[in-house]
Amino acid sequence: MKALVLSGGAGTRLRPITHTSAKQLVPVANKPVLFYGLEAIADAGVTEVGIVVGDTADEIRAAVGDGSRFGLEVTYIPQDAPLGLAHAVRIAQEFLGDEDFVMYLGDNFIVGGITALVDEFRAERPDAQILLTKVPNPTSFGVAELGGDGSVVGLEEKPKKPKSDLALVGVYLFTPAIHEAVRAIKPSWRGELEITHAIQWLIDGKRDVRSTTISGYWKDTGNVTDMLEVNRSVLETLEPLQAGSVDDETEIIGRVRVEEGAKVTGSRIVGPVVIGAGSVISDAYIGPFTSVSEDCRIEDSEIEYSIVLSGSSVTGVRRVEASLIGRDVEVTPAPRNPSAHRLVLGDHSKVQISS
């Protein structure tokens, strides 16, 4: 069995962060989202992985390498444009061959991994198996309609009038039967080859298409709100560590991870919080569910429920919360004094904030 990981999307919902960085590499608890998926694939016993890449191919290659750090053998599959999930399957056919495979969207996050799902598929080998979860806004997703016996009756891509609240999670399992399906379908009104149309083709052909509904945690990390929520979820499981320097005037409360080379002085840190290697925290308050990446500086400021990417600084700012701050950003006071700050800043930004 092989794996196909999709990492070619443009990440428009995470702009301006994704103007200069692949959305799959935005870190959650100081580790790229993509890495969680690769680890889940390795844990499921799948070792041969094809990664579909687009405009950010060089960045993905630099981060993942040959896959050996994950126990994987990685092959990169270029996609000229993001033309749909079924298009990704079509261009990956040579890599996939006649083997079963799991398709994993590189910006999705599933707590608990996919091992049980893969084991079930290997044992029973339906033509396709999809993962579903109930969502409050099904118009934003591919939606499944189930029959009275639980079988998959139909699929729709982002329907205006959904027939259910069951959304397709970004993990799919297929036998080689899917290759005939992706060759048979036509582009949708969006100009893309939809995987929902390919699976529907299998259903219409009376092929064995099954579903598993999960009640656990799943997020598509395609926007800032979901990124922060996934960061919160991962930090809930944080193991405390004090490998860096923390002075006697600093108060540490709860689960806090201070990585090697980080320095914390005269501050109050309320976990769960992770402070990346080489970062300097001084006279600051770092509140719960905050990830500070490597080589950052937080000084005379308050920040909570936020993600700060590498090389950025927040100095002299009264309060920052629910924010995603890109790489090499400078956040400093400005003359005026707004009542609150909520930031989505692209890499290398410079912003002045009243404090």
Side-chain angles (χ1 to χ4, degrees), residues 17-73:
I17 299 294
T18 50
H19 278 308
T20 52
S21 178
K23 65 177 180 176
Q24 298 84 5
L25 296 181
V26 176
V28 168
N30 287 5
K31 182 165 67 175
V33 171
L34 175 61
F35 288 11
Y36 292 97
L38 294 176
E39 289 169 354
I41 289 167
D43 289 343
V46 179
T47 58
E48 292 184 71
V49 179
I51 300 182
V52 177
V53 291
D55 292 342
T56 58
D58 290 345
E59 191 179 2
I60 299 289
R61 286 175 184 268
V64 177
D66 63 2
S68 57
R69 63 184 291 189
F70 306 99
L72 303 173
E73 299 175 18

Side-chain angles (χ1 to χ4, degrees), residues 65-333:
D66 63 2
S68 57
R69 63 184 291 189
F70 306 99
L72 303 173
E73 299 175 18
V74 169
T75 299
Y76 293 96
I77 303 168
Q79 186 180 34
D80 293 336
L83 297 175
L85 305 189
H87 179 262
V89 174
R90 184 183 286 189
I91 64 173
Q93 184 172 0
E94 182 178 350
F95 164 77
L96 295 168
D98 293 327
E99 294 196 39
D100 298 347
F101 67 98
V102 54
M103 183 168 75
Y104 197 115
L105 273 59
D107 60 350
N108 275 226
F109 183 88
I110 301 174
V111 169
I114 59 171
T115 300
L117 182 71
V118 170
D119 288 346
E120 178 185 353
F121 180 82
R122 280 173 161 154
E124 301 188 11
R125 293 196 71 236
D127 294 298
Q129 187 162 346
I130 59 177
L131 205 57
L132 305 174
T133 191
K134 290 188 176 182
V135 295
N137 55 333
T139 56
S140 299
F141 301 94
V143 174
E145 180 185 4
L146 302 184
D149 60 353
S151 61
V152 183
V153 174
L155 300 174
E156 294 180 284
E157 186 64 35
K158 298 181 180 178
K160 294 181 178 179
K161 295 182 179 180
K163 296 179 180 178
S164 80
D165 60 354
L166 293 171
L168 276 75
V169 174
V171 177
Y172 309 78
L173 296 111
F174 297 114
T175 66
I178 194 64
H179 296 302
E180 184 181 1
V182 299
R183 288 194 300 270
I185 62 173
K186 303 297 183 183
S188 68
W189 62 270
R190 299 193 303 167
E192 297 186 4
L193 291 174
E194 311 285 2
I195 197 67
T196 48
H197 291 178
I199 299 171
Q200 184 66 52
W201 188 89
L202 292 175
I203 295 170
D204 294 342
K206 308 301 181 184
R207 306 299 288 265
D208 187 3
V209 177
R210 304 183 190 180
S211 69
T212 300
T213 301
I214 63 170
S215 57
Y217 189 85
W218 164 77
K219 281 289 183 183
D220 168 5
T221 61
N223 60 54
V224 174
T225 299
D226 286 343
M227 282 294 303
L228 293 173
E229 182 62 17
V230 170
N231 189 63
R232 181 202 63 77
S233 178
V234 175
L235 288 178
E236 288 276 20
T237 64
L238 184 72
E239 291 294 330
L241 174 71
Q242 192 167 312
S245 170
V246 179
D247 74 351
D248 293 338
E249 295 181 7
T250 293
E251 183 180 13
I252 301 288
I253 301 173
R255 299 188 306 280
V256 174
R257 184 179 182 89
V258 181
E259 296 182 346
E260 188 174 356
K263 184 178 181 180
V264 184
T265 60
S267 298
R268 187 168 188 257
I269 316 293
V270 180
V273 166
V274 57
I275 308 296
S279 288
V280 176
I281 314 296
S282 62
D283 301 317
Y285 166 76
I286 310 294
F289 309 118
T290 300
S291 295
V292 179
S293 295
E294 67 276 4
D295 301 319
C296 293
R297 182 165 60 95
I298 313 293
E299 181 179 351
D300 190 27
S301 300
E302 299 179 2
I303 186 166
E304 183 172 313
Y305 192 67
S306 294
I307 298 173
V308 183
L309 303 191
S310 61
S312 293
S313 64
V314 181
T315 58
V317 178
R318 181 179 300 167
R319 187 76 171 180
V320 175
E321 62 182 31
S323 298
L324 174 56
I325 298 174
R327 296 171 177 83
D328 301 310
V329 168
E330 295 181 11
V331 182
T332 57

